[in-house]
Amino acid sequence: MRTRTVAIAVALVGLAACARNEDGPARPTPGTPPIDRPRVDSGVSPPPVHDGGTIIQAAEPPPPISGGTLALTPDGTWLVAADPELDTISIVDVETATLRDTIELTDGDEPGRVVIDGAGRGHVVLRSAGAIADVDLASGALIARRPVCAVPRGIAWRASDDSLHVACTEGTLVSLPASGGEPTRRVHVADDLRDVVVDGSDLYVTTFRTAHLLRLDAAGTIVSDAAPREIAIEGLIPMRLTAPGPFQPAVAWRALSSGEGVMMLHQRALSAEFVAEGGYGGGGCGGAIVHTSVSELVAGEMRSGDPLGGVVLGVDVALSPDGLRIAVAAPANAYPRNGGITTVTRSSGDVLVYSRSEATTSSETPTCANGSMPRLEDVGAAIAVLFLPDGRVVAQTRAPSRVLFEAPDPDALVGPVVALGDEDTYDTGHMLFHAAAGGGIACASCHPEGGDDARTWRFAGIGPRRTQTMRGGLLDTAPFHWDGDMREFRDLVHGVFVGRMGGAVFEEGEIGAFGAWMDALPALPRPADADTDRVERGRALFHDATVACATCHAGSALTNSATVDVGTGKALQVPTLLGIVYRAPYMHDGCAPTLRDRFTPGACTGGDAHGRTSHLTSAQIDDLVAYLQTL
């Protein structure tokens, strides 16, 4: 378990004027509060109140919230909680509401999804280690660590053959025996996989950013493809629209078996053209360009729900044992940043419970599904949620790391609280990234897990603009936005979070902490290409002066931060190529579905004004793409 030191800077820290990028122009950097003394509050005490003047910065920045890190043993005896910030796996006794065991993992493992097999073993995805951890729940011992893929995300156990199935961001589904041993199968299904769900004899996987639910046959081949339906915008959008377009299914944060089919917690995003200067929405239920919803696939039919009232950034969902209620964890609700409010108010409103029928059945005219708050301790930001066999809600929170039980006594206001660690990973920049702004969205709504939502937004007077990633070193890519119209990071904060998202005005110290946390977001690990000769040929082409890719995509961030017209009709920022394999579709307007499509001649990609590649053979393009996929 990593040891963390967290600093408190009482005085606000301003931004440094600029710093020099070795391979590019000057760029702004945020001032970072000095890390000079440890936090004194820990354990079960509430985290410090953020009042706009106190900046808290973790020595080791916590990873973006991914959610869905709780599991319950089939007999309801133990809870298993993975903590991606403390790098621990905790086992909690449900009856006594006490911490029984803590398993310390390697620093930076980032444990995520948890599944429990029929032999009492827990299996935890190690998101940043490319592996799974096997745990004997009876003894609380770590049995093994097994490599699976570059970026594992979802995991499921299938009882019929005692097998585990791991979904990987690079598109691979890895199968392996639950009892231990090497993978028995690797099959590429589709890019950007997220969750795996076993539903009877069927195996399903989801795609993260596009919210598709894919049913697979025994060979791992897709046999059906379903997605939540689009819904009309009437009555949901307060902003000014200049062209029509519905809300379309977007980021699928969580999927699970509902007993009748597969339930998916996902976002929807506005496809209509809108005036950005008027803001991204007015909050409320569906009042923003992004909202949260729950859809359910039953007997081959997708039942798509209405917007969930009160939820900003829903990251986990659970279904009650009687099948009548769903619970949603929405950590952004714990960090309101609107209407001039500069104090973070901790609230149990980050866990909401809804009627299943109201939440998953959409009418022709979308309405607001209203929820209620369970009786949980009023502290923390929920990252995971589930129901106990008796119908009570349990939530896992971060900063501080806890498990909160709903009270068994109906007359009690709150239930037991179990501290999972004595370290508080609260970080001002992390909080601001996940904060609910006044417009009903958070930065993480469009940049899930610090990346991108794969969407091309239609801005009136600006044009189509593809969401860009925050990973891989943001500050080296200034100026910001495709048009390069925001010269400094503070311009980005005030122009977007405050001006468009409706959030409170940032203090200078907040801007510094915010930029420092985002700048530390690493690019995702890239899958290895077995054909090293092909990659080396592609590397040579990339750096060939005739092809000229490296003319603009240079330096540690693989961008010279210039604003250039590459034949698409407008001068735009040169984007970083770090992690480009995970960022389809490509170009500023998303016109190239794949990396290879990027090299198809035409107005979409700019032709030879965008690197001179028309003379390359098809095999050479394959080599170049293979190299790009390793960046």
Side-chain angles (χ1 to χ4, degrees), residues 520-581:
L521 287 171
L524 294 177
R526 270 75 71 192
D529 192 314
D531 192 340
T532 56
D533 290 341
R534 181 176 64 172
V535 171
E536 285 306 311
R537 291 194 300 269
R539 184 195 306 272
L541 288 169
F542 183 86
H543 292 282
D544 188 317
T546 302
V547 178
C549 296
T551 301
C552 293
H553 295 288
S556 59
L558 293 177
T559 173
N560 61 2
S561 298
T563 305
V564 181
D565 185 349
V566 293
T568 57
K570 182 177 177 59
L572 299 167
Q573 276 284 288
V574 176
T576 177
L577 295 186
L578 294 176
I580 191 71
V581 65

Side-chain angles (χ1 to χ4, degrees), residues 28-334:
T29 43
T32 56
I35 299 175
D36 55 8
R37 71 176 190 269
R39 282 278 307 283
V40 295
D41 55 312
S42 60
V44 298
S45 300
V49 172
H50 176 83
D51 60 7
T54 301
I55 307 300
I56 301 172
Q57 189 170 3
E60 298 181 50
I65 292 173
S66 59
T69 48
L70 268 182
L72 181 69
T73 56
D75 61 3
T77 301
W78 299 323
L79 283 171
V80 182
D83 192 315
E85 299 176 13
L86 297 181
D87 293 317
T88 59
I89 302 169
S90 298
I91 303 174
V92 175
D93 187 298
V94 172
E95 182 178 2
T96 61
T98 55
L99 178 63
R100 204 204 71 187
D101 290 294
T102 298
I103 300 167
E104 298 184 357
L105 301 170
T106 302
D107 288 359
D109 274 346
E110 195 185 350
R113 296 279 194 264
V114 183
V115 70
I116 299 170
D117 67 24
R121 295 176 294 248
H123 307 277
V124 183
V125 167
L126 306 181
R127 294 166 53 90
S128 293
I132 61 170
D134 301 324
V135 176
D136 177 39
L137 299 182
S139 64
L142 179 65
I143 302 172
R145 293 167 60 100
R146 290 188 275 174
V148 285
C149 59
V151 191
R153 286 294 181 261
I155 188 169
W157 172 68
R158 186 164 60 189
S160 61
D161 57 358
D162 194 30
S163 60
L164 298 172
H165 303 272
V166 180
C168 305
T169 297
E170 58 264 41
T172 304
L173 181 68
V174 181
S175 302
L176 59 169
S179 58
E182 297 296 316
T184 57
R185 182 181 72 172
R186 297 177 184 271
V187 58
H188 187 274
V189 177
D191 290 343
D192 199 28
L193 296 185
R194 174 68 166 189
D195 273 314
V196 191
V197 178
V198 174
D199 184 60
S201 60
D202 292 328
L203 192 67
Y204 292 87
V205 293
T206 61
T207 59
F208 183 36
R209 298 173 302 162
T210 54
H212 280 252
L213 181 60
L214 311 175
R215 185 166 67 90
L216 309 179
D217 64 13
T221 303
I222 300 171
V223 295
S224 67
D225 182 347
R229 74 175 179 88
E230 299 177 348
I231 64 173
I233 62 176
E234 285 74 19
L236 293 179
I237 286 294
M239 67 190 65
R240 184 158 61 93
L241 305 180
T242 55
F247 276 100
Q248 297 175 329
V251 182
W253 284 96
R254 183 68 154 135
L256 70 162
S257 175
S258 66
E260 298 178 12
V262 180
M263 181 175 290
M264 179 193 293
L265 176 75
H266 62 91
Q267 296 176 178
R268 285 196 190 89
L270 183 67
S271 64
E273 184 180 85
F274 63 96
V275 179
E277 288 71 19
Y280 286 169
C285 190
I289 60 174
V290 172
H291 66 245
T292 298
S293 187
V294 173
S295 296
E296 186 175 2
L297 184 70
V298 178
E301 177 188 358
M302 185 68 83
R303 302 172 181 173
S304 297
D306 289 336
L308 297 181
V311 172
V312 178
L313 194 65
V315 299
D316 194 23
V317 65
L319 180 65
S320 63
D322 60 12
L324 300 179
R325 296 176 298 154
I326 64 169
V328 176
N333 288 16

Side-chain angles (χ1 to χ4, degrees), residues 447 450-452 466-472 474 477 576 578-579 583:
H447 298 280
D452 68 86
R466 168 75 166 78
T467 305
Q468 294 179 301
T469 185
M470 298 287 151
R471 288 187 172 272
L474 176 68
T477 65
T576 177
L578 294 176
R583 302 214 308 271

